[in-house]
Amino acid sequence: MFDKVSRNVKSILNVGSSSYTQQEALDATFTPIAIGQILASVENLCVAKLYQSDQLLRGTSARDSRPQTLNHGLLTLLDTPFAAKALSLTTLGAAVTLLLSRGRRNPQIVAATALSISTALSEHRTPYGRDGADQMTSVITQYRAISALIPNRDRSDDVFLRAVNVQAGLSYFVSGLSKAFGPSWVRGEAVAEILQTQVYGGSPAAQALKKSHWLMKGATWVTPIWELTFPILYILPTRWATCGLSLVKVFHLGVAAVMELPRFVWGFTGSHGAVKYVIGSSERGEKRLSKLEYSALGSAGVVAYMSGVYAATLRQRDNDRRQGLKGTSQLSVADGNIEFKWSGPKRDEIDSNTAPVIIFEAGLGSALEAWTWVAEEFSDHYHVLSYHRAGYGLSTTKLPPGDIVEALLEHIESTGPIVVVGHSFGLIKIADYLHRELRGRHVSRVVLVDGTDPELLHINRSDRQRAAKYLQSQCGSMFVALTGIYNFVPHTVARQSAYAPDEQSGVVQFAFAPKNIHRAIREYFDTDITRVTESIVSGPPRVVVASAENADQQRTLADKLSAPYELVEESSHRSIIGYQSQSKHVAAIVREVVSEI
């Protein structure tokens, strides 16, 4: 009797021998899941009042369906409190059956399928409140239902276990990757922040952990490290890999004790049966990776490599375009080159020698092509100049913006007034040359388009959490840039700009060039902003042009700068100069400013 109980406990926690047969692996996968779902369904039945139509867990599936249709009627029935209780009882029955079906494959398949259906309907009825353990359980039971369609029993079970194994490895690795980019995890404060909440900080273990600041920091840093290194288990010797898997179980038990999340133990250790089945393959005389898995991994690697190469090719093609006849120009200075674009007045009746000069200052990490729509509105009557600051694009110089602008103006034969138009971070850079003499004259007017507030920038850079969030977003952009994913999925740059094909490609490829992303990070943190506000306030007349996305923030900025305020309706931070219709509004404001000189 004692031996039987001992074997059951070992199977539940996936400990004991370092290798499993298929049926042992199936038992080790489904037993923890069954226990977890029994606990979950009993918990749901105990809080049945919350499923009433006016309570937190009320059904919402019929909310968006068309009334007086069969679909609406079925979803309305699903949303009733009776349906919630019925689903909980179904889950309970399927979980009990799954627990009692140890050693019997067919009843496990039937119970897992029933469990998959009931949990899917419950999720559809109330699509919130599910945690990672619930999601892992759903995935495992769905995999069992699908893999059961394979006629060959051994092949069916092997495919199922290997699919669960892949899911487990991906779940841990992706979780670790997201934490690695998470500000509070990087700072070592995530566990402390979690334990400050009423939901997770009340257990005796949590109270004990709170007493040790360094222990909480250690727990925070160790978590993403072991999650990221979880795939190493697949290349370790079987005995060491099994020990590593046991340490992961210890982690889940620790989470259960500290955060009072016992279901995580059952939900995730259920996948460990499949992991142990795979890492024990060598002891059974099999390869850890099947031909299908080798093919899948190889295909994924080839796709990722080809995507990265394709992205690099597009970026190089854009650089070639910039150096072509219809591209940009380069001015050689003492320490490198300045990439710029300039056009003089096209109307014969305009005196080029006295025509105003409009300088466009780009935002953080933005290409000079971002000004295309606005600049187009002035090409007939004015000198139009845009350029890339130090380190961006093809600009290899290290000169500050003021020196760059002065060098460029030396090659523009005009004594006309200078008007500077800056977008976003360009506001910060304009302050570098707002008061200096530029070819015998000063800047006459300034237009700030959704400009960066120096005070807010100081707060964001000084606050560790906000600074870390910015770094997190840039790390994400760098990952997308290096893998080339941005060429195949929607992103903000493409959604909020619509230039002609060449310019649009230039804006996108520039924004996702790794060198430009790195330069943007350096510029964000290194730029001196101590006297930016004072410089602008004491400078020439200025106008603040706001996007609808940042209307309130820009109104506050206009008050700080003692500047008139103009709003471009239905615009976002990028689209205000990225959409032609909105750019025309910006251009009209700039034209009015120029006419007042």
Side-chain angles (χ1 to χ4, degrees), residues 542-562:
R542 55 224 160 259
V543 175
V544 170
V545 183
S547 69
E549 180 181 7
N550 298 315
D552 293 338
Q553 180 190 102
Q554 292 296 297
R555 189 181 296 277
T556 302
L557 177 63
D559 292 339
K560 293 178 183 178
L561 302 179
S562 302

Side-chain angles (χ1 to χ4, degrees), residues 421-595:
V421 184
H423 176 241
S424 187
F425 203 82
L427 176 151
I428 307 295
K429 293 300 180 179
I430 287 172
D432 185 63
Y433 54 92
L434 206 53
H435 293 278
R436 68 186 292 172
E437 187 175 294
L438 303 168
R439 290 204 69 198
R441 61 201 190 278
H442 291 81
V443 174
S444 299
R445 294 288 190 278
V446 177
V447 180
L448 305 170
V449 183
D450 232 31
T452 298
D453 187 333
E455 293 184 19
L456 290 181
L457 177 60
H458 174 70
I459 293 172
N460 290 337
R461 295 197 311 191
S462 302
D463 184 273
R464 291 188 301 168
Q465 185 167 1
R466 295 185 182 185
K469 283 184 178 180
Y470 171 75
L471 278 175
Q472 179 183 5
S473 68
Q474 293 304 300
C475 287
S477 297
M478 185 67 79
F479 173 79
V480 169
L482 292 172
T483 57
I485 296 174
Y486 66 93
N487 289 304
F488 308 102
V489 298
H491 50 79
T492 305
V493 179
R495 286 197 302 267
Q496 297 185 5
S497 58
Y499 302 98
D502 278 353
E503 283 76 16
Q504 181 70 10
S505 175
V507 168
V508 171
Q509 298 304 328
F510 188 95
F512 288 102
K515 185 190 77 167
N516 294 330
I517 295 173
H518 177 261
R519 177 57 191 158
I521 296 172
R522 293 290 303 272
E523 194 173 50
Y524 180 89
F525 287 105
D526 294 348
T527 301
D528 182 14
I529 60 172
T530 51
R531 299 188 60 82
V532 169
T533 301
E534 293 85 342
S535 177
I536 295 176
V537 170
S538 62
R542 55 224 160 259
V543 175
V544 170
V545 183
S547 69
E549 180 181 7
N550 298 315
D552 293 338
Q553 180 190 102
Q554 292 296 297
R555 189 181 296 277
T556 302
L557 177 63
D559 292 339
K560 293 178 183 178
L561 302 179
S562 302
Y565 170 87
E566 298 282 350
L567 176 66
V568 178
E569 298 288 352
E570 299 181 354
S571 60
S572 68
H573 184 64
R574 287 183 181 272
S575 73
I576 194 171
I577 61 173
Y579 288 166
Q580 189 173 24
S581 59
Q582 295 170 14
S583 295
K584 284 181 177 293
H585 190 167
V586 174
I589 296 170
V590 175
R591 187 177 291 109
E592 183 178 349
V593 168
V594 176
S595 68

Side-chain angles (χ1 to χ4, degrees), residues 11 13 87 97 105 111 115 162 259 315 326 356 419 422 436 443 553 567 571:
S11 178
L13 295 178
L87 288 172
T97 302
R105 177 177 181 270
L115 194 57
R162 291 184 180 277
M259 299 175 61
R315 291 194 292 266
K326 295 183 179 180
V419 176
R436 68 186 292 172
V443 174
Q553 180 190 102
L567 176 66
S571 60

Side-chain angles (χ1 to χ4, degrees), residues 44-59:
N44 290 338
L45 290 171
C46 290
V47 294
K49 291 182 179 180
L50 295 179
Y51 292 99
Q52 298 296 325
S53 59
D54 59 345
Q55 295 296 314
L56 179 64
L57 299 180
R58 62 187 179 277

Side-chain angles (χ1 to χ4, degrees), residues 113-154:
T113 302
L115 194 57
S116 173
I117 295 172
S118 64
T119 53
L121 289 174
S122 297
E123 181 180 1
H124 189 67
R125 181 189 182 279
T126 309
Y128 51 84
R130 288 168 53 81
D131 55 31
D134 291 329
Q135 294 168 3
M136 179 62 77
T137 297
S138 294
V139 168
I140 291 175
T141 53
Q142 289 167 16
Y143 283 176
R144 178 69 281 187
I146 295 171
S147 63
L149 299 175
I150 300 175
N152 184 281
R153 170 174 176 162
D154 290 340

